[in-house]
Amino acid sequence: ATTTGSSQHHPIAKQRQRRSSRHRRHRQSCSSLDTACQALSALGYFQTLPLEIFQMVLNYLSVRDISMLSMVSKSISSHLVSYISSSSGNKRLLLQDFHNPQLPNKTGGASIVEHYRSLGLLLKRCTLLLPTKDRLKYIHRILSEVSCFKLNGCPSPLQCSGLQCYGVFLQILTAGWDELECHRVFNFLCELSNLPRKVQTVVSSKPGSARKLEVRVRLYCRSVLLNHWVHRSDSAFWLTRILKPWPIVNQARLLYIIFGPVSSLDGHVVWQKMIEGPTDESCLKGLAEAIRLLYDTEAREWTADDVISLLDELSVVPREWLLENSARLLILSGNSICFTFLASKAVNGRALELARLMVFLTLVCEKDLYCMDWAVKMMQKICKVFATPGERNNFLQCVENAFAHMAMDMLQAVLAGGGGDAEDSSFFNLFHLMNAQASFHKEILYLTMGATTT
């Protein structure tokens, strides 16, 4: 009986032992299976491919498709970061044919600018989880070998789209970032390009003495920092970053370098354009747009007085402008800025200067085919700024005297002759002034006679 009990007991113990070890092995196999499943869920079918084959597959995808793939999982994103940093990824992604407007590919050609727009989106998504400082360092490491992305990197910057591509890339990368992060981006770019030192050189040197550097500063500021923003608030932010570190005299010089007229032959800034003779709207539109941008409510760091002072300082860069050019810039800058600028002169007792500027506003209206009743309404608003009727009447007398003096000066220029284009220019100036004066007074008569009859 004892033997039988013993023989019955031991097999049961062995059976339990085998079952326990079986459960343990089952748990281990399930644990390893879960790990494999997690990896498979992170990398999908790419888990079965060697890294080299995975990168070969990427060569068949567009850059935009790769950026979509980067959002699938953190594991795939890390694989893509490795691909971008590899020599094959660099060669495929960092195209440098910046002197050819069309980039050949299998689909028949695509803009290299669009390629870098897609690349910006790819790197934005791949570095999404990194702090701003680390993102910038990684991106700089990737792009540091592209010489045309540097302020002084390209030997022929006017024929190069490198800075434009860099600007589009940065715009896509930083879109949606808060102001603190964008401050860091600007400081990072200044450190890389040594922009503050180069700006210091061009704003403190004699105008035109550093022509090549002026062109490079202009291209870098416009192509990299300013041109690609959709929202005016973004454009105002970056223009403020460029201008604000400098005194107002240097701000005006820098504004002229970035937005002023340039030669169609060599791209150099034309410093004498506003001084030597009347210019057209095309030479002033960039400056007017910049002034409007800073005056808008989006530019929170600028007051109306700041912008008017900047506009006043701009009109003497590099020396005092012809009043016709100042008047044209005021009109292009918009009603609010124009009125504020004129009203500041009325408040400060500069009635004679204001009257002459008012006459040139009528002349620009006549030449550029603006409605003359605009000039009359502007003068009405200015008259309300004067504190006393005596000051207002003195201003009106100054306006009439300015018309008379300008007509005499232009008539003398016509009589003096000189022949050729100079004589024709003097005659047409007198012709436009006479028409401007007649049209201006006609609008005043309409206004006063209409008020009298009603």
Side-chain angles (χ1 to χ4, degrees):
T2 306
T3 307
T4 307
S6 171
S7 63
Q8 288 176 349
H9 173 74
H10 290 298
I12 293 172
K14 289 179 181 178
Q15 186 179 4
R16 285 177 180 170
Q17 187 177 2
R18 284 196 300 271
R19 185 179 300 164
S20 174
S21 62
R22 196 164 56 244
H23 282 312
R24 189 165 54 250
R25 286 196 302 273
H26 177 68
R27 284 196 301 270
Q28 289 173 351
S29 63
C30 284
S31 176
S32 60
L33 184 62
D34 288 343
T35 304
C37 289
Q38 288 174 1
L40 187 61
S41 66
L43 286 174
Y45 291 110
F46 292 118
Q47 175 70 22
T48 60
L49 296 178
L51 182 61
E52 295 80 3
I53 304 298
F54 174 71
Q55 292 185 357
M56 289 175 64
V57 171
L58 294 178
N59 288 330
Y60 288 90
L61 299 179
S62 69
V63 180
R64 191 167 290 272
D65 289 339
I66 297 173
S67 72
M68 291 290 290
L69 183 63
S70 70
M71 297 190 294
V72 170
S73 70
K74 187 177 179 181
S75 299
I76 285 186
S77 182
S78 65
H79 274 55
L80 292 176
V81 168
S82 300
Y83 170 68
I84 294 167
S85 304
S86 68
S87 58
S88 61
N90 254 257
K91 185 177 180 181
R92 190 271 173 95
L93 296 174
L94 295 186
L95 303 173
Q96 299 189 40
D97 193 10
F98 300 116
H99 299 264
N100 183 0
Q102 289 298 319
L103 174 67
N105 64 12
K106 293 180 180 179
T107 60
S111 166
I112 193 170
V113 175
E114 289 304 313
H115 171 82
Y116 275 94
R117 192 186 303 277
S118 299
L119 183 60
L121 187 61
L122 170 58
L123 289 179
K124 183 188 188 82
R125 288 169 172 172
C126 283
T127 60
L128 191 61
L129 301 178
L130 295 177
T132 301
K133 187 176 180 181
D134 294 338
R135 292 177 93 174
L136 294 174
K137 284 183 177 179
Y138 169 74
I139 288 163
H140 169 61
R141 191 166 68 249
I142 297 298
L143 303 181
S144 60
E145 299 304 316
V146 184
S147 61
C148 289
F149 286 175
K150 300 172 184 177
L151 193 148
N152 281 328
C154 182
S156 53
L158 291 171
Q159 289 77 43
C160 179
S161 61
L163 292 180
Q164 184 186 0
C165 291
Y166 192 33
V168 166
F169 173 89
L170 288 173
Q171 186 265 326
I172 292 295
L173 177 73
T174 59
W177 290 17
D178 62 34
E179 283 198 3
L180 179 60
E181 290 174 314
C182 290
H183 272 280
R184 288 173 179 158
V185 173
F186 181 75
N187 293 335
F188 185 77
L189 292 173
C190 285
E191 185 178 346
L192 288 182
S193 63
N194 206 8
L195 182 63
R197 191 165 188 174
K198 291 176 171 61
V199 168
Q200 175 68 55
T201 300
V202 295
V203 298
S204 58
S205 303
K206 183 180 177 182
S209 62
R211 294 191 303 167
K212 291 183 179 179
L213 186 56
E214 288 170 359
V215 171
R216 289 187 180 275
V217 167
R218 176 189 177 99
L219 290 174
Y220 191 86
C221 290
R222 291 179 68 138
S223 298
V224 176
L225 301 175
L226 296 173
N227 282 357
H228 309 291
W229 298 105
V230 176
H231 302 294
R232 292 179 65 81
S233 57
D234 292 323
S235 300
F237 171 84
W238 290 99
L239 182 56
T240 299
R241 301 283 70 75
I242 294 170
L243 295 178
K244 270 297 183 179
W246 307 99
I248 190 166
V249 175
N250 291 343
Q251 287 177 8
R253 285 276 296 271
L254 185 53
L255 202 67
Y256 193 94
I257 289 171
I258 298 173
F259 296 105
V262 293
S263 168
S264 58
L265 298 177
D266 54 20
H268 293 152
V269 178
V270 184
W271 290 98
Q272 306 302 316
K273 189 75 172 178
M274 307 301 172
I275 302 164
E276 293 178 342
T279 187
D280 57 18
E281 289 186 4
S282 62
C283 295
L284 292 163
K285 277 186 175 179
L287 291 168
E289 175 58 29
I291 293 294
R292 283 201 306 271
L293 193 65
L294 299 178
Y295 191 81
D296 285 349
T297 54
E298 287 89 348
R300 297 187 300 274
E301 297 173 58
W302 298 82
T303 65
D305 287 342
D306 290 337
V307 178
I308 296 306
S309 298
L310 179 60
L311 188 55
D312 212 9
E313 195 66 46
L314 182 63
S315 66
V316 293
V317 172
R319 298 191 305 278
E320 188 173 359
W321 291 11
L322 294 180
L323 275 178
E324 182 177 332
N325 293 332
S326 296
R328 187 169 278 108
L329 177 60
L330 282 176
I331 292 175
L332 292 173
S333 298
N335 288 352
S336 183
I337 294 174
C338 184
F339 169 73
T340 306
F341 186 84
L342 297 175
S344 69
K345 294 190 180 299
V347 169
N348 293 320
R350 297 157 71 177
L352 185 58
E353 184 180 338
L354 175 60
R356 295 190 70 235
L357 190 51
M358 195 70 231
V359 171
F360 275 102
L361 285 173
T362 66
L363 181 60
V364 173
C365 285
E366 171 66 24
K367 282 187 172 184
D368 295 355
L369 304 179
Y370 296 120
C371 294
M372 193 61 72
D373 67 336
W374 173 87
V376 173
K377 289 174 182 176
M378 183 62 70
M379 193 171 76
Q380 277 185 303
K381 291 176 66 177
I382 296 300
C383 285
K384 294 176 182 177
V385 174
F386 291 101
T388 66
E391 291 178 344
R392 183 178 67 247
N393 292 338
N394 176 60
F395 164 66
L396 295 175
Q397 183 63 58
C398 287
V399 170
E400 293 305 315
N401 290 342
F403 268 118
H405 290 154
M406 281 180 59
M408 291 301 298
D409 290 343
M410 289 182 181
L411 181 59
Q412 285 182 353
V414 171
L415 295 175
D421 294 339
E423 187 174 355
D424 289 343
S425 175
S426 300
F427 175 78
F428 279 113
N429 275 337
L430 179 60
F431 171 78
H432 286 303
L433 180 65
M434 293 294 98
N435 279 341
Q437 185 175 21
S439 182
F440 182 69
H441 286 112
K442 178 191 71 176
E443 293 296 334
I444 293 175
L445 288 174
Y446 285 163
L447 192 66
T448 54
M449 293 301 103
T452 304
T453 54
T454 53

